[in-house]
Amino acid sequence: MLSKQQVFVEAIANLQPDVFCLQEVNQSQGAQEVKPLKNQIQIQDTIKLRQDNHAYTIVKMLEGQGIHYEWVWLPIKVGYGKYDEGVAIFSKKPILEVEDLLVSQNKSYSNYRTRRLLGIRNEDGWFYSVHFSWWADPEEPFANQWKKANQSISQKKKEPVFLLGDFNGDAAIRNENYDTIRQVGFYDTYLLAKEKDDGYTISGQIDGWRENEPIPQRRIAQIWTNRPLSVRSSQVIFNNKNWPVISDHFGIMVEFQ
């Protein structure tokens, strides 16, 4: 039986996305330290890279198949008391610039509510790997984090901008996360897509959503852009329809024309 990482790498090798983003990218704090790889773009040097880092492992497995990506991993906070948890971006085209964007009021590495966005720029524009808080978080509500994010991202309006990841807001719920993003001029690539599936990216109750109304399926992972681009297709992957399930969050694959 293939491991979850093997399934993921097999899918990436088959789909060959120009850019892909991951959230909750962990490494064990007690794992052996390793040197950065040649294709890794450094964005910080405080938290050292360790042997079981998920992004590091994925890159090495892809390299073993002759598939090359430049990549960045940004550690954000301590997860479950024992992991360095962050976000990552992988790009086939050279990474020209990187950005670490603090969007939470809190910036303590030990606080699980800390939120940062990781941005990279390649020749196609800016890409951000995002993991926002919930709309009604009592200390770090989504609206405050989005305001800080948009203030910075809107300065890049001369270039295409893409936001990819976990927005922690159901697209079907009005006047919360989803509508807040749409109202400032971002476009949901799912709605732009000429071909699409049901779009659901979680099924059942998962961490962070157990106290909410039990709805069988939700669309909380999304891909947004600041341009009304022509999108050929949007499909959910790793949902047992397109590749096996490997996480409680499914993935999204978007193809532009």
Side-chain angles (χ1 to χ4, degrees):
M1 183 176 179
L2 294 176
S3 72
K4 292 180 179 181
Q5 288 177 327
Q6 287 175 312
V7 170
F8 182 80
V9 168
E10 184 177 314
I12 294 297
N14 182 273
L15 298 169
Q16 296 276 333
D18 294 324
V19 173
F20 66 94
C21 297
L22 299 178
Q23 297 79 46
E24 296 184 341
V25 181
N26 295 342
Q27 64 178 20
S28 302
Q29 292 183 324
Q32 181 180 347
E33 186 178 328
V34 293
K35 294 181 180 179
L37 299 174
K38 291 181 179 180
N39 57 354
Q40 181 181 0
I41 309 300
Q42 293 289 91
I43 195 170
Q44 61 85 43
D45 57 10
T46 302
I47 306 300
K48 303 302 182 183
L49 189 69
R50 299 190 179 276
Q51 192 170 37
D52 67 349
N53 182 285
H54 180 61
Y56 172 81
T57 302
I58 291 298
V59 166
K60 289 202 303 178
M61 292 173 71
L62 287 169
E63 291 280 345
Q65 295 193 32
I67 300 169
H68 308 289
Y69 283 89
E70 289 194 355
W71 63 289
V72 187
W73 174 65
L74 175 66
I76 297 173
K77 57 191 173 71
V78 176
Y80 296 94
K82 58 182 180 179
Y83 299 114
D84 294 312
E85 180 182 307
V87 293
I89 305 181
F90 307 74
S91 173
K92 277 197 167 184
K93 297 179 180 179
I95 294 173
L96 307 174
E97 193 173 349
V98 295
E99 180 179 14
D100 170 5
L101 178 56
L102 177 70
V103 295
S104 57
Q105 294 298 316
N106 183 81
K107 61 181 180 181
S108 170
Y109 190 70
S110 61
N111 191 317
Y112 75 92
R113 283 188 164 94
T114 297
R115 293 288 190 271
R116 295 178 180 274
L117 311 188
L118 170 62
I120 68 143
R121 182 175 65 86
N122 66 19
E123 65 181 49
D124 294 325
W126 278 93
F127 298 82
Y128 288 86
S129 184
V130 311
H131 187 185
F132 285 100
S133 290
W134 302 266
W135 179 258
D137 189 290
E139 296 180 29
E140 289 285 350
F142 172 84
N144 291 351
Q145 294 180 3
W146 174 253
K147 183 178 180 180
K148 292 181 70 174
N150 189 48
Q151 284 174 345
S152 176
I153 292 169
S154 63
Q155 297 175 20
K156 302 178 175 68
K157 57 187 176 183
K158 293 182 180 179
E159 300 177 273
V161 174
F162 303 89
L163 311 177
L164 307 89
D166 183 355
F167 289 85
N168 264 322
D170 189 337
I173 298 176
R174 300 280 64 84
N175 301 314
E176 292 190 4
N177 303 35
Y178 185 86
D179 287 346
T180 300
I181 301 169
R182 287 192 73 181
Q183 287 165 4
V184 298
F186 275 86
Y187 298 86
D188 180 1
T189 56
Y190 178 78
L191 297 185
L192 294 175
K194 294 177 174 61
E195 299 177 16
K196 67 189 77 170
D197 50 21
D198 58 28
Y200 295 126
T201 59
I202 62 173
S203 179
Q205 298 293 86
I206 66 169
D207 283 354
W209 286 85
R210 298 188 190 282
E211 296 178 3
N212 295 77
E213 180 183 354
I215 296 175
Q217 297 171 311
R218 297 180 187 268
R219 188 163 73 89
I220 66 171
Q222 299 143 24
I223 299 177
W224 294 83
T225 177
N226 65 342
R227 302 262 197 290
L229 300 173
S230 182
V231 180
R232 178 178 290 112
S233 65
S234 175
Q235 67 173 341
V236 177
I237 56 177
F238 305 119
N239 60 350
N240 267 346
K241 297 176 183 177
N242 298 311
W243 304 93
V245 170
I246 56 175
S247 169
D248 57 359
H249 291 257
F250 308 148
I252 308 172
M253 180 75 178
V254 170
E255 185 178 5
F256 295 91
Q257 291 183 317

